[in-house]
Amino acid sequence: MWFQSFERRASLLAALLLPFVAATGYAQDDDDEQDVDLEIEEITVTGTQIRGARISGALPVSVVDQQQIEALGIDSGDELFDFLPENGNNFFNEAENISGGVNSARGDVGAFNLRSLGTGNTLVLLNGRRMVNAASYQTEEVGGSFVPVNTVNSNTIPVYGVERLEVLRDGASAIYGADAVAGVVNTVLKSDFEGFTIRTKFTEFDNTPRNDETVTIQWGKFFNDGKTNLGVFFDYYHRDRVNSQDDPRWADTDLRGRLDPNSAYVRRALELLDESDPDDAPHTVDDLTAFRNDSANSLFGQFDSVTSASAAGIRDIYTDGSGEFETYPIGDPRCQYTINATTCGAIDGQGTYRYNLNENRDLVSDLDRYNLFLFLNHDLGNGIESFSELGFYSS
């Protein structure tokens, strides 16, 4: 394109200078009384046209074949794309709900997010044809604000039926559309498979009560003198539940107990705390509240009284000066008055109740996943082939 621009500019410059050159020549005719014939036969503007350009040669493509997929020892499409360096953060799975920040999609869902450019900006193809987005959505932070996003569920892909995985690592929205801003992922399944294969896998984990089981069946056969091929791929995957109570460290969000009081970091942090608050010195590790990750959202309600009720004289008796009060179950030491048979109340400001969000939470849910893919190919002759594909997924 640089040569094209240069050639156009050179031709244009010649065309613009032509009148001035001609005018100068005629002026010399008047002055010197000489006949100078200036004849321009042709001006050609040259452009550049590139034919037969290959998209794969212009854009970078990564290919992961069947042998590499088997070497990874994965059990789901979510795990497969987690191994790809081109894929970014997956905030769409159920595990992300633990760290917070986004309202993660529940269940057996995995997202496509090439180069962390945002969920929903990756075009997902199966055998070169678009896949349907999962029937769930969430919001993610994009450009400083939270926007709704959705994605194809990567777990709907039968991993051990994949022949190769093609990842277009650059934006291709000009070719494929707006949903290919981050790139394109094309999963190519095995075609014209013949034979029967069964595969089983059992995985046991140390220190956690979890076992994983995988069963994969592949069957294919040719009919009509080799013109018709029928193939079936089936994957079953079972995963046991893992709860935060399976390990005391998982069930505790207060991380101050894991600090080494003799470490240089802790000693320096306590020195700075003593300098900033000398009245309560010497401080201990328990005073390093930056590692106290318990939630300040209490289990019990806090309420504001209406203006008319405050005017009736309940302020500073049942509420604080702002008209706020808290509720607790009967028998709680913070109770100041009874509301009903099960609930008591108190003036707001009885202290912050820290709530341990990890006390009882599933880190990994109990899961049974089924993937079934059936294809029928028929050679019609003259280089024309008909195909039918049927996919079923349940979890």
Side-chain angles (χ1 to χ4, degrees):
M1 297 301 296
W2 182 86
F3 293 102
Q4 174 185 353
S5 177
F6 176 80
E7 291 168 351
R8 289 180 181 272
R9 290 180 180 178
S11 302
L12 182 59
L13 181 61
L16 292 176
L17 292 180
L18 177 60
F20 296 97
V21 174
T24 304
Y26 288 119
Q28 290 176 350
D29 286 347
D30 295 336
D31 295 339
D32 302 336
E33 296 182 357
Q34 296 179 357
D35 275 339
V36 178
D37 293 335
L38 207 64
E39 185 176 352
I40 303 297
E41 294 184 355
E42 184 179 3
I43 297 178
T44 304
V45 178
T46 305
T48 302
Q49 185 180 22
I50 303 175
R51 296 184 179 181
R54 295 176 56 87
I55 299 301
S56 60
L59 299 176
V61 177
S62 297
V63 178
V64 181
D65 57 23
Q66 177 185 357
Q67 289 74 19
Q68 293 172 315
I69 294 175
E70 292 182 355
L72 293 175
I74 57 179
D75 296 307
S76 66
D78 190 11
E79 294 181 4
L80 172 60
F81 292 101
D82 282 343
F83 278 104
L84 296 179
E86 295 84 5
N87 198 40
N89 295 325
N90 183 4
F91 294 129
F92 221 88
N93 55 21
E94 60 177 350
E96 180 58 29
N97 185 44
I98 296 175
S99 63
V102 294
N103 55 321
S104 308
R106 305 305 196 269
D108 185 42
V109 179
F112 291 84
N113 184 12
L114 288 183
R115 295 178 291 150
S116 292
L117 291 182
T119 302
N121 291 325
T122 301
L123 175 60
V124 183
L125 306 177
L126 182 64
N127 294 334
R129 292 174 289 279
R130 293 174 182 260
M131 296 188 66
V132 179
N133 286 336
S136 63
Y137 70 94
Q138 67 181 34
T139 58
E140 291 182 6
E141 187 176 4
V142 178
S145 60
F146 284 88
V147 298
V149 294
N150 57 6
T151 178
V152 172
N153 185 3
S154 59
N155 290 325
T156 60
I157 298 175
V159 174
Y160 289 106
V162 174
E163 180 178 349
R164 68 182 183 275
L165 183 68
E166 302 170 345
V167 180
L168 183 61
R169 305 192 305 268
D170 203 352
S173 57
I175 303 173
Y176 296 98
D179 52 351
V181 172
V184 182
V185 175
N186 182 31
T187 304
V188 181
L189 300 182
K190 299 176 182 178
S191 180
D192 296 335
F193 178 78
E194 185 176 24
F196 177 79
T197 302
I198 183 171
R199 178 201 307 263
T200 60
K201 177 183 175 182
F202 179 82
T203 305
E204 184 177 7
F205 293 83
D206 295 334
N207 305 319
T208 58
R210 172 185 172 183
N211 296 324
D212 291 0
E213 303 167 7
T214 306
V215 178
T216 302
I217 299 175
Q218 300 178 7
W219 175 85
K221 187 175 181 180
F222 282 95
F223 301 92
N224 297 330
D225 298 328
K227 295 182 179 180
T228 305
N229 178 263
L230 176 65
V232 178
F233 298 146
F234 173 76
D235 287 345
Y236 167 73
Y237 173 64
H238 170 76
R239 182 183 67 197
D240 285 339
R241 170 191 181 191
V242 177
N243 189 268
S244 60
Q245 296 181 353
D246 295 332
D247 192 313
R249 296 171 297 176
W250 298 341
D252 189 8
T253 55
D254 191 343
L255 305 181
R256 290 175 294 180
R258 306 187 191 183
L259 295 177
D260 182 5
N262 298 319
S263 66
Y265 171 81
V266 172
R267 291 200 307 267
R268 181 54 181 162
L270 294 178
E271 291 176 0
L272 295 175
L273 194 58
D274 291 339
E275 295 175 2
S276 62
D277 188 13
D279 295 337
D280 293 333
H283 292 84
T284 64
V285 173
D286 292 336
D287 296 320
L288 299 178
T289 57
F291 294 89
R292 183 186 59 190
N293 293 330
D294 293 339
S295 174
N297 295 326
S298 174
L299 291 174
F300 312 116
Q302 180 190 60
F303 302 91
D304 293 336
S305 60
V306 296
T307 305
S308 59
S310 299
I314 70 169
R315 183 167 293 184
D316 297 328
I317 299 177
Y318 298 100
T319 71
D320 61 6
S322 301
E324 298 176 346
F325 66 98
E326 299 176 356
T327 58
Y328 304 98
I330 290 292
D332 192 283
R334 291 167 289 189
C335 291
Q336 295 178 348
Y337 52 86
T338 300
I339 296 178
N340 54 40
T342 60
T343 309
C344 69
I347 294 176
D348 186 31
Q350 302 301 313
T352 301
Y353 177 79
R354 293 284 174 176
Y355 180 53
N356 182 8
L357 293 175
N358 281 358
E359 185 175 359
N360 186 5
R361 167 174 288 181
D362 278 356
L363 305 179
V364 177
S365 66
D366 182 46
L367 173 68
D368 287 284
R369 179 194 302 130
Y370 303 88
N371 289 96
L372 175 66
F373 194 85
L374 182 146
F375 59 87
L376 179 64
N377 299 326
H378 180 70
D379 187 4
L380 301 175
N382 298 326
I384 301 176
E385 184 181 69
S386 66
F387 64 91
S388 298
E389 299 175 350
L390 175 64
F392 171 81
Y393 160 83
S394 177
S395 67

